Amino acid sequence: YNAAGIYSYYSHVINTTIVNNVGTQYGGLYAYASSSYTLTNLIIWGNSSSYYLSGGSITYSAIQANSVSGTGNIALNVDNDGEGAGNYVRFLAPEHGVYQLQNESSVIGMGDNSVSGLPEKDLAGRDRIMGGTIEPGAYEQYCTEYRYKTINLNAGGTYNFYGSFISQPGTYMHQWSCR
């Protein structure tokens, strides 16, 4: 089967962000086994197709879908950000590969702290549990206020935008500190 994000068979996957994958069948996740996989504290969003699950369990995860079953799971809207009803993931800058969460994200504090094998640090090296309850995905939300600076990138220039180098001329807002 063609799964671009994760192909899971008898696996234990925790605190993972699965985004912007393109597959001919399953862009985000393909998980199959009679009951031997567990998927906990995931964010699955922006993939060409969301996921396929057979057996096993997925819990405390935020998934772009019309509806999601399983303990503690929520369905995310297709848009990153919005004013309408529903749950928005609200990544900082997904168009530039920045998948840290904004303060208003619907997924903050919805994870499961008791999952086996929980890492002590997030992908950015910060403490994994801030504010009492873990966030799903690879990054823990830790800011209460962001400060930004504007970057004007001219033709021929490059800029390190949260670890992703961009070279397309334009104006970018960059988080430079948080409280």
Side-chain angles (χ1 to χ4, degrees):
Y1 293 94
N2 186 340
I6 292 182
Y7 180 91
S8 175
Y9 190 75
Y10 297 104
S11 299
H12 178 68
V13 179
I14 57 173
N15 284 93
T16 301
T17 302
I18 305 168
V19 295
N20 295 334
N21 297 287
V22 177
T24 57
Q25 287 182 303
Y26 307 106
L29 169 72
Y30 180 89
Y32 177 81
S34 58
S35 63
S36 298
Y37 68 81
T38 58
L39 310 169
T40 308
N41 297 341
L42 307 183
I43 297 175
I44 303 173
W45 180 84
N47 300 289
S48 64
S49 59
S50 193
Y51 62 94
Y52 172 82
L53 303 174
S54 175
S57 68
I58 184 167
T59 58
Y60 297 95
S61 295
I63 303 168
Q64 179 185 328
N66 291 328
S67 65
V68 180
S69 62
T71 303
N73 295 328
I74 65 169
L76 293 172
N77 286 346
V78 66
D79 297 320
N80 178 55
D81 205 353
E83 298 298 323
N87 297 307
Y88 295 94
V89 68
R90 290 187 169 101
F91 290 123
L92 279 174
E95 67 277 12
H96 298 293
V98 182
Y99 299 108
Q100 296 171 348
L101 302 171
Q102 297 179 31
N103 293 343
E104 301 82 19
S105 175
S106 298
V107 307
I108 292 175
M110 66 158 282
D112 179 6
N113 293 356
S114 67
V115 64
S116 175
L118 192 64
E120 292 182 21
K121 303 288 183 181
D122 71 2
L123 194 59
R126 296 184 300 257
D127 288 340
R128 190 64 251 208
I129 301 176
M130 302 291 291
T133 306
I134 196 167
E135 272 73 79
Y139 296 100
E140 192 72 11
Q141 165 56 325
Y142 73 106
C143 291
T144 58
E145 178 184 335
Y146 292 105
R147 295 182 184 178
Y148 295 91
K149 66 179 177 180
T150 301
I151 306 299
N152 292 308
L153 188 61
N154 297 320
T158 60
Y159 184 69
N160 182 345
F161 195 75
Y162 300 103
S164 297
F165 288 91
I166 54 176
S167 57
Q168 182 176 0
T171 300
Y172 301 90
M173 294 295 291
H174 185 124
Q175 171 196 332
W176 61 273
S177 70
C178 93
R179 294 182 190 175

